[in-house]
Amino acid sequence: MPEPQRQSPPDSQPEPHDESQHESPHTGHGFGRLLVAVYGLLALAATGRSILQISEYFDRAPVPYILSAVAAVIYLVATVGLARGDRASVRLATIALSVELVGVLVVGTVSALRPQAFPDKTVWSHFGQGYGFVPLLLPLVGLWWIRRTARASAASAAEVAQSAD
């Protein structure tokens, strides 16, 4: 026989551990989960590609292949930062996404102007063409998401502060 549900009196306060009403937005929740998954997948792909390029073809184009390894590290940092969602992690993710965006734009421009410098496709060459231009779009989406969750978090904090008064 099921236990009867206890009801608290209407004037009682919610239990202290019940924060579901005032949970602040998080970069790793909702749409952020998809973003974290895409960054994780890109981190794996970039790591695999850079390991292959560095171990097998390093003498052909060392700088582009090292840039692929750098991209892999940046994707890993972004993945962890977005997934964790705490203040320090989000700052680190913001830096990683900003560096990623600059990297894609610089490497993409150089590879378009001097294609001989990039004999094989790398993660950021030709603005991420080998990855369906995802490396070009993803930092923009990531930075937008960080900004959106920061605004929602600030609004949520203001709402909690107002309800506490």
Side-chain angles (χ1 to χ4, degrees):
M1 179 173 219
E3 286 187 31
Q5 297 263 337
R6 293 187 322 189
Q7 292 185 344
S8 54
D11 60 330
S12 71
Q13 296 291 322
E15 294 182 25
H17 67 277
D18 182 22
E19 296 180 13
S20 60
Q21 294 173 345
H22 300 295
E23 188 173 311
S24 65
H26 184 288
T27 56
H29 293 162
F31 174 74
R33 288 184 185 186
L34 176 63
L35 199 57
V36 168
V38 172
Y39 262 108
L41 184 62
L42 206 52
L44 287 173
T47 300
R49 175 175 248 171
S50 66
I51 288 172
L52 175 70
Q53 289 173 326
I54 289 171
S55 65
E56 296 291 324
Y57 312 111
F58 188 74
D59 58 333
R60 209 169 19 182
V63 172
Y65 300 155
I66 289 172
L67 287 173
S68 280
V70 168
V73 171
I74 289 171
Y75 292 141
L76 182 61
V77 169
T79 302
V80 172
L82 290 169
R84 288 190 54 172
D86 60 82
R87 183 178 292 182
S89 297
V90 171
R91 281 188 188 143
L92 190 59
T94 302
I95 293 167
L97 297 178
S98 299
V99 170
E100 174 193 1
L101 181 58
V102 170
V104 171
L105 293 173
V106 169
V107 172
T109 301
V110 170
S111 64
L113 296 175
R114 299 192 58 215
Q116 68 277 10
F118 290 83
D120 293 334
K121 289 183 179 174
T122 64
V123 180
W124 291 344
S125 64
H126 304 284
F127 304 102
Q129 181 181 15
Y131 287 84
F133 298 102
V134 170
L136 178 61
L137 300 175
L138 203 55
L140 297 171
V141 172
L143 290 168
W144 165 80
W145 182 247
I146 288 171
R147 186 175 177 151
R148 184 174 188 269
T149 56
R151 283 183 178 167
S153 183
S156 177
E159 185 179 296
V160 169
Q162 248 183 354
S163 68
D165 291 338

